[in-house]
């Protein structure tokens, strides 16, 4: 007869004693269970004790989380969270440096547990730590020279404990003083600072800026992007990542008027070039660094939004002078020789030249730039091209002005439409995505990367126009081909603008036609009735194959992250299906694993038979509980939960869309439900088309062997092999 569902068999440890094996009745109050355990070891004052997970987390067992205890769990009897918080609160104020250091180290470890954190915060522990940072550490400045490692560790553990406590979201960031902010900023600005202290200080500044507009103002007064840039020039990728995160946070929270600076000041526009050494480093770029580089790329391009959404004022003489400048550079000789003459003659000349420049409105080209987007950004790009690539600019204008009217590529119109297209491709004006890592290294190699990008693409457009022998009626077709050329070239993530240009050279109009033809052949649409019947017959076999693949992937397992307010301090946990498909094994991890995690190292189990349903997106409990996550569209799309027993959930946030599809498909397959993910539909199409092509091969008069051909014997010698070296 199976044991009652409310009875859990566990082992409980106590230092210096043999572990106890006992059954815990989940209906009994936790205090009664602790009292029973204490009586077994003759320990007085059971109210000063608590149970704790005896694993790497050491989290306290409470009434809220006690249902996570599973059969076979190992627990530890320990000092209660309130008692531990009181002890550490007293020890970190000790006059003994060694005792203080040990206490702060224990505090940094214990603060990860929200139960302990709540008790320590109730003792006004956050205020104590901030006072130690503001003034307490100054008392040890004299000791720094003779005890530098100890001082670094002392400050590192203090800041680590502070960061962990604040991570729980119990205390508002708005409560901190200017003195504390100044002290943290001073650690970031120091030339030679302990790496751990610098990391924690950068993390604190980032959280302050992101969580409080008021604190942003105070932080921005204490630290500038120019003071952060030296940290990007080192070799520690973690420091570089934290630094870019702070830069991104400062820029995200900056008021609109402060996002644009004078040309002489240090600002975000200097950062892409500065981080180019990070990209060129031999070290592989981790996911968090890739995300921060992507955010920096988005924020840099978003500086263009203001110009992109600004209409040209046809009556503004300064703006009209830019158009005159374009005309002067293109037709310099003609301008010099025609400074005299009647107004009508000059107007006629201007109209002729503006037509050669390819504007739609030949009389007043300023009207062409009243369309938003791209607004004034298009004119900025044209002027940059004319000034910095003058030979190419003059060649394109004169080359097209000498063609027949219907075959000329209108430079003005092309530039306006191309600028609009590039803004769409790079998503100028959109906020960065939470989980995206899609940055382009080439945009970090030039201080005017967008303008250079435009210059390459406008020359590509002119080249493609000639290859297509296009006329004015083909303008939209040419733009479609150019967009395809650009997007295909970007997919290989060129490391430099020169590499991007080389890739475009290989993507001529002829090559695009070949690629399109090849893709069409691979997507043949068989609509005849016999073939449709064959597809229906094959489909169940393919679906079974996909199901087995999904279950095999669940057996391999996946590392999931527990979302916190700071991305780089994420906690990890692992989940995998047993080989017999009957049990889900899961448990917490200290860090992201390399390869599979064995079943026996995962403490918790969930029988598949107990699973009642799988819910996704906004229906998940962890999406309802956490307001910040609820608003995050990307996390909503990766969230799913397993409902078991009466009211219990196992909550997941997949690392990416692929893993989300694999797990939701696999769990639905275990429950005997239909697999409906996008990934399943894609796999079905791919495998079905492949199987159809194999079955429809023309194999008449071809003898297909029933067994594979034998592997030939090895030759007696290898004298025939020629060594090219």
């Amino acid at each position: 007869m199976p044991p009652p569902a409310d009875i859990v068999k566990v082992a409980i440890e106590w230092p210096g004693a043999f572990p106890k094996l006992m059954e815990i009745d989940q209906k009994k109050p936790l205090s009664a269970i602790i009292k029973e355990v204490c009586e077994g070891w003759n320990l007085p004052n059971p109210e000063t004790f608590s149970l704790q997970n005896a694993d790497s987390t050491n989290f306290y067992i409470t009434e809220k989380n006690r249902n996570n205890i599973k059969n076979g769990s190992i627990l530890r009897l320990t000092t209660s969270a309130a008692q531990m918080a009181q002890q550490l609160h007293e020890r970190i104020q000790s006059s003994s440096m060694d005792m203080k250091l040990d206490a702060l180290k224990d505090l940094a470890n214990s603060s990860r547990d929200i139960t302990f954190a709540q008790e320590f915060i109730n003792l006004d522990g956050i205020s104590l730590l901030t006072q130690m940072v503001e003034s307490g550490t100054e008392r040890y400045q004299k000791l720094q020279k003779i005890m530098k490692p100890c001082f670094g560790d002392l400050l590192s553990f203090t800041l680590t404990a502070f960061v962990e406590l604040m991570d729980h979201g119990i205390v508002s960031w708005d409560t901190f003083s200017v003195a504390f902010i100044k002290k943290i900023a001073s650690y970031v600005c120091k030339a030679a600072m302990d790496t751990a202290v610098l990391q924690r200080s950068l993390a604190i500044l980032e959280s302050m800026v992101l969580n409080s507009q008021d604190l942003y103002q105070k932080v921005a007064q204490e630290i500038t992007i120019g003071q952060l840039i030296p940290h990007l020039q080192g070799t520690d990728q973690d420091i570089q990542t934290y630094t870019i995160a702070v830069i991104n946070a400062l820029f995200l929270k900056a008021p609109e008027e402060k996002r644009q600076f004078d040309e002489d000041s240090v600002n975000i526009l200097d950062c892409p070039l500065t981080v180019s050494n990070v990209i060129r480093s031999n070290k592989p770029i981790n996911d968090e660094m890739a995300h921060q580089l992507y955010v920096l790329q988005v924020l840099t391009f978003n500086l263009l939004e203001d110009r992109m959404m600004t209409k040209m004022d046809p009556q503004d003489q300064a703006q009209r002078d830019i158009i005159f400048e374009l005309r002067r550079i293109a037709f310099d000789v003609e301008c010099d020789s025609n400074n005299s003459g009647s107004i009508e003659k000059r107007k006629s000349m201007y109209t002729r030249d503006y037509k050669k420049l390819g504007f739609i409105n030949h009389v007043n080209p300023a009207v062409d730039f009243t369309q938003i987007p791209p607004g004034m950004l298009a004119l900025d790009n044209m002027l940059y091209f004319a000034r910095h690539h003058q030979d190419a600019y003059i060649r394109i204008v004169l080359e097209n002005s000498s063609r027949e009217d219907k075959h000329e590529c209108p430079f003005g119109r092309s530039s306006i439409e191309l600028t609009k297209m590039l803004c769409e491709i790079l998503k100028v004006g959109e906020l960065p995505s939470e989980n995206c890592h899609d940055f382009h290294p080439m945009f970090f190699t030039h201080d005017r990367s967008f303008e250079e990008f435009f210059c390459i693409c406008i020359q590509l457009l002119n080249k493609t126009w000639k290859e297509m022998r296009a006329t004015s009626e083909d303008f939209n077709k040419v733009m479609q081909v150019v967009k395809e050329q650009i997007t295909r070239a970007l997919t290989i993530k060129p490391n430099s603008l020169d590499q991007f240009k080389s890739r475009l050279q290989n993507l001529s109009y002829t090559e695009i036609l070949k690629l399109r033809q090849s893709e069409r052949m691979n997507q043949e649409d068989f609509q005849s009735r016999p073939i449709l019947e064959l597809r229906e017959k094959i489909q169940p076999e393919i679906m079974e194959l996909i199901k087995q693949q999904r279950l095999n992937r669940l057996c391999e397992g996946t590392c999931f992250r527990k979302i916190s307010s700071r991305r780089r301090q994420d906690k990890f946990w692992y989940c995998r299906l047993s080989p017999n498909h009957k049990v889900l094994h899961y448990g917490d991890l200290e860090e992201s694993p390399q390869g599979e995690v064995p079943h026996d190292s995962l403490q918790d189990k969930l029988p598949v038979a107990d699973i009642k349903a799988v819910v996704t997106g906004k229906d998940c409990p962890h999406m309802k509980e956490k307001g910040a996550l609820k608003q995050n569209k990307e996390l909503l799309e990766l969230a799913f939960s397993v409902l078991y027993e009466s009211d219990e959930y196992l909550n997941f946030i997949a690392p990416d869309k692929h893993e989300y599809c694999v797990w939701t498909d696999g769990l639905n397959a275990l429950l005997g439900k239909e697999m409906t993910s996008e990934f399943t539909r894609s796999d079905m199409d791919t495998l079905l088309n492949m199987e159809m092509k194999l079955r429809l091969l023309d194999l008449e008069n071809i003898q297909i062997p029933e067994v594979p051909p034998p592997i030939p014997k090895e030759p007696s010698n290898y004298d025939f092999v020629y060594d090219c070296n």
Side-chain angles (χ1 to χ4, degrees):
M1 182 177 177
D6 295 321
I7 301 299
V8 183
K9 295 182 179 180
V10 299
I12 300 179
E13 299 175 343
W14 172 252
F18 287 107
K20 280 182 176 293
L21 296 176
M22 66 179 295
E23 294 183 349
I24 291 179
D25 186 351
Q26 292 284 40
K27 291 181 178 179
K28 288 176 67 174
L30 197 56
S31 56
I33 296 170
I34 293 171
K35 183 178 180 181
E36 182 183 338
V37 174
C38 289
E39 288 173 352
W41 275 311
N42 297 318
L43 298 173
N45 304 320
E47 66 277 2
T48 62
F49 291 93
S50 290
L51 290 175
Q52 201 177 45
N53 286 306
D55 55 18
S56 57
T57 64
N58 294 325
F59 286 171
Y60 280 97
I61 304 297
T62 65
E63 291 291 353
K64 288 183 178 179
N65 64 21
R66 64 182 293 178
N67 288 325
N68 293 332
I69 303 173
K70 304 298 178 186
N71 281 314
S73 295
I74 301 175
L75 307 180
R76 181 188 299 119
L77 186 67
T78 188
T79 308
S80 69
Q83 193 86 356
M84 177 67 75
Q86 184 64 49
Q87 291 174 6
L88 287 177
H89 192 272
E90 294 170 0
R91 285 170 56 201
I92 62 176
Q93 299 178 73
S94 169
S95 57
S96 166
M97 182 67 73
D98 290 336
M99 185 177 292
K100 181 186 286 286
L101 187 62
D102 289 340
L104 285 168
K105 185 176 181 180
D106 291 342
L107 178 62
N109 289 326
S110 299
S111 296
R112 293 178 300 166
D113 183 1
I114 191 170
T115 307
F116 170 86
Q118 185 69 69
E119 296 292 344
F120 189 78
I121 289 169
N122 289 343
L123 296 172
D124 211 14
I126 293 282
S127 296
L128 177 60
L129 292 178
T130 55
Q131 288 168 17
M132 290 173 64
V133 172
E134 289 173 23
S135 58
T137 52
E138 292 177 2
R139 295 199 299 267
Y140 309 117
Q141 295 291 338
K142 296 177 182 178
L143 299 173
Q144 187 175 1
K145 291 183 180 179
I146 57 174
M147 301 182 66
K148 188 171 181 180
C150 181
F151 175 78
D153 289 343
L154 184 80
L155 191 52
S156 172
F157 289 134
T158 303
L159 295 178
T160 300
F162 174 83
V163 168
E164 293 290 353
L165 290 168
M166 291 302 297
D167 229 13
H168 297 295
I170 300 170
V171 178
S172 169
W173 283 93
D174 288 306
T175 58
F176 300 109
S177 67
V178 174
F180 179 71
I181 297 170
K182 284 178 179 289
K183 184 63 70 174
I184 297 298
S186 72
Y187 298 144
V188 172
C189 295
K190 281 185 181 176
M193 177 52 69
D194 180 80
T195 301
V197 173
L198 182 56
Q199 279 189 8
R200 304 298 182 273
S201 299
L202 288 166
I204 291 169
L205 289 179
E206 182 199 4
S207 295
M208 283 180 172
V209 172
L210 290 176
N211 287 285
S212 169
Q213 187 64 34
D214 184 48
L215 283 184
Y216 157 75
Q217 303 285 352
K218 295 174 182 176
V219 172
Q221 291 172 5
E222 298 300 325
I223 196 160
T224 65
I225 291 177
Q227 292 169 311
L228 292 169
I229 282 177
H231 297 309
L232 297 175
Q233 296 164 348
T235 57
D236 189 315
Q237 191 173 114
D238 288 335
I239 295 295
Q240 292 169 335
T241 303
Y242 279 88
T243 302
I244 298 174
V246 175
I247 291 171
N248 290 338
L250 284 168
F251 190 76
L252 272 169
K253 287 291 183 175
E256 193 67 36
E257 65 274 9
K258 289 191 177 182
R259 295 188 182 184
Q260 304 289 347
F261 297 84
D262 296 331
E263 290 183 3
D264 296 331
S265 66
V266 178
N267 60 82
I268 193 172
L269 290 173
D270 296 311
C271 297
L273 263 182
T274 310
V275 302
S276 61
N277 70 303
V278 177
I279 297 168
R280 290 197 299 266
S281 170
N282 294 327
K283 295 180 181 178
I285 293 177
N286 59 40
D287 285 347
E288 182 56 33
M289 172 63 88
H291 173 75
Q292 294 300 342
L293 288 171
Y294 152 78
V295 173
L296 180 59
Q297 174 185 289
V298 171
L299 296 179
T300 305
F301 285 140
N302 282 356
L303 287 173
L304 305 169
E305 184 182 12
D306 183 56
R307 294 293 282 173
M308 181 182 77
M309 302 306 292
T310 300
K311 292 182 179 181
M312 185 172 185
D313 180 1
Q315 307 306 318
D316 188 319
Q317 187 58 42
Q319 295 179 359
R320 289 165 62 93
D321 286 344
I322 299 175
I323 298 177
F324 293 151
E325 177 75 357
L326 291 173
R327 176 180 175 274
R328 185 196 65 75
I329 295 172
F331 309 112
D332 189 41
V333 176
E334 294 183 36
C335 289
D336 289 342
S337 61
N338 289 293
N339 282 333
S340 59
S342 66
I343 295 175
E344 289 76 13
K345 187 175 180 181
R346 286 204 302 271
K347 282 185 177 179
S348 174
M349 194 186 312
Y350 288 163
T351 300
R352 183 196 65 194
D353 289 347
Y354 291 149
K355 183 178 180 183
K356 288 181 180 180
L357 281 169
F359 291 113
I360 297 173
N361 191 316
H362 305 152
V363 178
N364 186 4
V367 176
D368 289 11
F369 299 98
T370 57
Q371 172 195 350
I372 55 170
M376 289 295 291
L377 184 60
L379 186 58
D380 294 343
N381 284 338
M382 293 167 70
L383 184 62
Y384 181 91
F385 181 49
R387 286 178 173 172
H388 294 82
H389 300 270
Q390 195 171 110
D391 291 344
Y393 167 69
I394 294 172
R395 176 178 54 79
I396 288 176
V397 172
L398 296 183
E399 189 178 87
N400 285 291
S401 63
S402 63
R403 290 181 188 165
E404 297 178 28
D405 281 353
K406 67 175 185 176
H407 284 289
E408 64 182 9
C409 177
F411 174 73
R413 182 186 176 192
S414 299
S415 298
I416 292 169
E417 290 301 320
L418 179 63
T419 301
K420 182 179 178 182
M421 178 201 295
L422 297 183
C423 289
E424 290 173 356
I425 291 172
L426 298 177
K427 300 180 179 177
V428 174
E430 294 187 18
L431 287 174
S433 166
E434 175 68 22
N435 291 310
C436 187
H437 309 99
D438 186 25
F439 76 96
H440 294 278
M442 72 177 190
F443 291 125
F444 295 91
T445 60
H446 200 284
D447 58 346
R448 302 293 292 272
S449 58
F450 183 80
E451 289 86 345
E452 289 293 324
F453 185 45
F454 169 84
C455 293
I456 293 170
C457 294
I458 192 64
Q459 294 176 74
L460 167 72
L461 192 154
N462 190 62
K463 172 175 170 283
T464 303
W465 185 282
K466 289 188 289 185
E467 290 173 348
M468 294 178 67
R469 298 179 182 178
T471 63
S472 55
E473 288 81 10
D474 300 320
F475 185 86
N476 290 333
K477 292 180 182 177
V478 175
M479 295 304 295
Q480 289 173 5
V481 172
V482 170
K483 184 174 184 178
E484 187 172 343
Q485 290 171 313
I486 294 169
T487 52
R488 285 182 184 272
L490 286 175
T491 54
I492 65 166
K493 297 286 185 0
N495 289 321
S496 67
L497 290 164
D498 287 337
Q499 283 188 17
F500 175 68
K501 191 186 295 186
S502 299
R503 175 60 180 154
L504 288 177
Q505 292 295 328
N506 298 326
L507 284 171
S508 64
Y509 176 57
T510 305
E511 182 63 23
I512 291 293
L513 289 179
K514 288 179 182 177
L515 290 169
R516 286 178 174 180
Q517 179 66 20
S518 173
E519 289 168 1
R520 273 197 297 268
M521 289 178 67
N522 290 333
Q523 296 172 357
E524 289 176 5
D525 189 17
F526 302 112
Q527 294 297 331
S528 63
R529 185 175 175 182
I531 290 183
L532 290 175
E533 289 177 356
L534 179 59
R535 286 176 70 92
E536 289 179 9
K537 182 179 178 182
I538 297 172
Q539 202 159 333
E541 301 173 21
I542 302 297
M543 187 58 76
E544 183 61 29
L545 183 65
I546 294 172
K547 175 182 173 183
Q548 290 304 317
Q549 188 273 339
R550 299 293 190 269
L551 295 177
N552 290 340
R553 275 290 293 110
L554 264 61
C555 290
E556 292 173 12
T558 300
C559 178
F560 298 92
R561 61 189 178 102
K562 296 181 176 180
I563 299 296
S564 66
S565 61
R566 291 181 300 107
R567 296 170 53 89
R568 289 169 304 288
Q569 296 293 325
D570 290 345
K571 307 299 188 297
F572 298 95
W573 67 290
Y574 200 87
C575 186
R576 64 183 297 180
L577 181 66
S578 62
N580 62 5
H581 300 172
K582 292 186 177 180
V583 177
L584 284 176
H585 298 263
Y586 62 96
D588 292 334
L589 302 175
E590 282 296 311
E591 56 185 5
S592 183
Q594 302 295 323
E596 294 182 18
V597 176
H599 292 97
D600 51 11
S601 66
L602 301 173
Q603 306 265 339
D604 301 314
K605 299 178 183 179
L606 172 61
V608 172
D610 291 350
I611 298 176
K612 295 184 176 180
V614 177
V615 294
T616 60
K618 62 183 180 182
D619 295 327
C620 298
H622 54 319
M623 292 294 103
K624 295 176 182 176
E625 291 169 3
K626 299 185 179 180
L629 296 184
K630 188 177 179 183
Q631 303 302 322
N632 192 314
K633 183 181 177 183
E634 288 78 19
L635 290 183
L636 276 174
E637 292 175 350
L638 298 175
F640 61 98
S641 299
V642 172
L643 170 63
Y644 62 97
E645 293 180 358
S646 57
D647 234 353
E648 298 298 321
Y649 287 89
L650 188 59
N651 297 319
F652 298 76
I653 293 179
D656 51 48
K657 193 67 175 177
H658 177 273
E659 289 296 323
Y660 170 84
C661 293
V662 165
W663 274 85
T664 52
D665 283 343
L667 292 169
N668 281 323
L670 286 172
L671 298 178
K673 297 181 179 179
E674 186 179 354
M675 299 183 293
T676 57
S677 75
E678 299 171 13
F679 195 40
T680 292
R681 290 194 293 272
S682 174
D683 281 357
M684 173 61 75
D685 290 340
T686 302
L687 295 172
L688 197 53
N689 288 336
M690 190 183 299
E691 185 68 18
M692 288 292 294
K693 288 177 181 178
L694 285 173
R695 297 201 183 194
L696 294 172
L697 282 174
D698 185 5
L699 299 176
E700 189 176 353
N701 300 323
I702 296 177
Q703 185 72 27
I704 301 177
E706 295 182 359
V707 294
I711 300 173
K713 293 181 180 179
E714 288 192 34
S716 57
N717 62 66
Y718 290 87
D719 294 343
F720 56 86
V721 176
Y722 177 73
D723 187 358
C724 296
N725 298 323

